[in-house]
């Protein structure tokens, strides 16, 4: 089980992969002319809070996407239960007409799906039609921490229980840390703070030993922190992370990359009933990545260009299923209340 960046990058056409799953009867009876779509604003549901990382990434992407799609975007926010609230509202309350889309993060939200009692099914009820970035999980400590390297942290963890903050327990970084602890014998307790801001503050002030999170959320902290390791086979942004080594390079482990992918989801029914609309969405999405304006806007929104990477429907589905499997393996630890 390996989360490969290469497999996520420019694979098969997302629209073709989705369209092939729909029955011929549904396609012929319910298809709509793409030229007439969209003739009203797109409705974007964000399963996290307004102003957060996902919201900023969505607005940056949609600002450029609007030029090619020919429609504006309107936003609504339904945070809660690690994203479950938003997905429940989207699937049960939003019409499956391809005008309604969800902008989420595959890794954390598939872990949530696999570890919580949800009232929907993947991929029966929704699918991801494309992703726009790859954000690796990391461990960092406060700049004045006694831990200078990831080896220092692991060795300390063999003597006592290390505490690491996280925004929410069902998260790729949590799985990465648990896998590292399993491989090295380090004792660790993950402490969820119900948001990235509180989790980062706890690590900077020394309330916990360090923080496990996505890289992009910590770049603005500058010289307040020191990165210890990256949960990928390669550090794709060494200049932004004080050249922190990949975890597998240090310990000889085989921990799969623990990355987030901010992505667009749509109702599975919309894929079957409005294939031309979905094709227009996926075709115009891809044009954003070659538009120079997107680079400027994305970086202003806090996403380094090194992270930007298009992933089609097939690669999104692969990632979703891999995270479901990983979450199942660590389910008892990811759902622990302590």
């Amino acid at each position: 089980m390996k989360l490969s960046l290469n497999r996520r990058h420019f694979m098969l056409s997302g629209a073709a992969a989705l369209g092939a799953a729909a029955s011929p009867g549904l396609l012929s009876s319910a298809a709509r002319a793409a030229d007439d779509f969209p003739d009203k604003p797109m409705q974007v549901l964000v399963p996290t809070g307004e102003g957060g990382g996902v919201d900023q990434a969505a607005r940056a992407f949609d600002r450029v996407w609007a030029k090619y799609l020919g429609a504006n975007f309107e936003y609504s926010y339904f945070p809660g239960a690690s994203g479950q609230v938003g997905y429940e509202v989207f699937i049960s309350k939003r019409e499956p007409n391809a005008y309604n889309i969800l902008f989420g993060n595959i890794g954390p939200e598939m872990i949530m799906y696999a570890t919580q009692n949800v009232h929907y099914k993947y991929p029966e009820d929704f699918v991801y039609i494309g992703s726009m970035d790859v954000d690796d999980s990391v461990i960092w400590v406060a700049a004045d921490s006694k831990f200078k390297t990831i080896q220092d942290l692991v060795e300390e963890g063999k003597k006592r229980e290390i505490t690491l903050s996280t925004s929410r327990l069902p998260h790729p970084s949590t799985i990465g840390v648990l896998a590292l602890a399993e491989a090295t014998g380090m004792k660790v307790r993950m402490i969820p703070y119900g948001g990235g801001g509180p989790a980062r503050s706890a690590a900077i002030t020394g309330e916990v030993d360090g923080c496990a999170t996505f890289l992009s959320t910590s770049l603005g902290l500058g010289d307040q922190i020191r990165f210890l390791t990256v949960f990928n086979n390669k550090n794709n942004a060494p200049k932004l992370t004080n050249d922190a080594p990949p975890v597998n390079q240090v310990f000889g482990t085989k921990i799969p990359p623990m990355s987030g992918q901010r992505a667009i989801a749509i109702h599975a029914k919309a894929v079957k009933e409005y294939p031309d609309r979905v094709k227009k969405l996926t075709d115009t999405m891809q044009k954003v990545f070659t538009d120079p304006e997107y680079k400027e806007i994305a970086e202003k929104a806090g996403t380094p260009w090194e992270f930007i990477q298009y992933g089609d429907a097939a690669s999104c589905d692969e990632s979703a299923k891999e995270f479901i499997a990983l979450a199942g393996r660590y389910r008892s630890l990811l759902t622990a209340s302590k």
Side-chain angles (χ1 to χ4, degrees), residues 28-88:
S28 59
S29 64
R32 299 291 187 270
D35 290 343
D36 298 327
F37 170 82
D39 58 4
K40 58 184 178 180
M42 298 291 296
Q43 300 299 315
V44 182
L45 188 149
V46 181
T48 54
E50 183 174 4
V54 172
D55 183 29
Q56 293 181 48
R59 290 179 179 273
F61 187 85
D62 294 345
R63 180 174 167 183
V64 182
W65 191 14
K67 296 193 302 183
Y68 300 101
L69 187 58
N72 293 322
F73 294 82
E74 298 177 350
Y75 301 83
S76 59
Y77 305 89
F78 292 88
S82 299
Q84 181 181 349
V85 172
Y87 277 78
E88 299 278 10

Side-chain angles (χ1 to χ4, degrees), residues 295-306:
K295 181 177 188 296
E296 179 182 355
I297 294 174
E299 290 182 334
K300 286 183 178 179
T303 303
W305 193 244
E306 293 93 333

Side-chain angles (χ1 to χ4, degrees), residues 16-328:
L18 290 170
S23 68
L26 286 172
L27 295 180
S28 59
S29 64
R32 299 291 187 270
D35 290 343
D36 298 327
F37 170 82
D39 58 4
K40 58 184 178 180
M42 298 291 296
Q43 300 299 315
V44 182
L45 188 149
V46 181
T48 54
E50 183 174 4
V54 172
D55 183 29
Q56 293 181 48
R59 290 179 179 273
F61 187 85
D62 294 345
R63 180 174 167 183
V64 182
W65 191 14
K67 296 193 302 183
Y68 300 101
L69 187 58
N72 293 322
F73 294 82
E74 298 177 350
Y75 301 83
S76 59
Y77 305 89
F78 292 88
S82 299
Q84 181 181 349
V85 172
Y87 277 78
E88 299 278 10
V89 170
F90 179 73
I91 291 164
S92 64
K93 303 293 185 181
R94 296 293 184 264
E95 186 178 354
N97 58 4
Y99 280 93
N100 287 294
I101 62 176
L102 180 146
F103 200 107
N105 196 326
I106 295 177
E109 287 151 20
M110 284 295 96
I111 295 171
M112 172 273 293
Y113 169 79
T115 56
Q116 296 180 184
N117 183 26
V118 302
H119 300 95
Y120 54 87
K121 292 184 178 181
Y122 176 84
E124 290 86 347
D125 293 324
F126 75 98
V127 293
Y128 294 102
I129 62 172
S131 62
M132 58 283 309
D133 59 22
V134 175
D135 193 357
D136 293 330
S137 294
V138 295
I139 296 176
W140 57 259
V141 295
D144 59 357
S145 170
K146 69 177 183 178
F147 303 118
K148 307 303 179 185
T149 67
I150 187 62
Q151 295 98 315
D152 293 342
L153 187 75
V154 168
E155 286 305 310
E156 182 74 10
K158 294 178 181 179
K159 303 172 186 176
R160 66 169 176 90
E161 185 178 68
I162 292 292
T163 56
L164 295 177
S165 61
T166 184
S167 58
R168 46 181 166 171
L169 204 54
H171 194 279
S173 63
T174 302
I175 292 181
V177 171
L178 294 175
L180 176 60
E182 185 177 70
T184 62
M186 173 181 70
K187 297 182 288 292
V188 65
R189 181 157 65 101
M190 301 299 297
I191 303 179
Y193 276 81
R200 292 187 289 273
S201 295
I204 290 173
T205 59
E207 184 176 326
V208 292
D209 291 307
C211 182
T213 185
F214 284 140
L215 173 54
S216 66
T217 63
S218 305
L219 292 176
L221 299 176
D223 58 6
Q224 297 182 81
I225 67 174
R226 181 188 308 112
F227 291 96
L228 297 186
T229 194
V230 177
F231 285 97
N232 202 331
N233 295 320
K234 176 184 177 182
N235 185 339
N236 294 303
K239 294 181 180 179
L240 302 176
T241 57
N242 51 263
D243 203 19
V247 66
N248 292 336
Q249 178 181 305
V250 176
F251 297 103
T253 48
K254 296 182 179 180
I255 300 171
M258 292 292 127
S259 305
Q261 284 176 278
R262 284 175 284 206
I264 293 170
I266 196 167
H267 297 90
K269 288 183 180 179
V271 174
K272 293 181 179 180
E273 297 182 13
Y274 300 96
D276 288 346
R277 293 182 180 182
V278 176
K279 185 177 188 304
K280 186 168 185 179
L281 291 175
T282 56
D283 287 350
T284 54
M285 270 186 69
Q286 294 179 54
K287 295 179 180 180
V288 175
F289 295 89
T290 57
D291 190 318
E293 184 184 10
Y294 181 44
K295 181 177 188 296
E296 179 182 355
I297 294 174
E299 290 182 334
K300 286 183 178 179
T303 303
W305 193 244
E306 293 93 333
F307 295 6
I308 299 298
Q309 187 178 67
Y310 170 67
D312 68 1
S315 61
C316 289
D317 179 62
E318 183 178 25
S319 292
K321 290 175 179 176
E322 286 174 328
F323 273 112
I324 290 172
L326 284 167

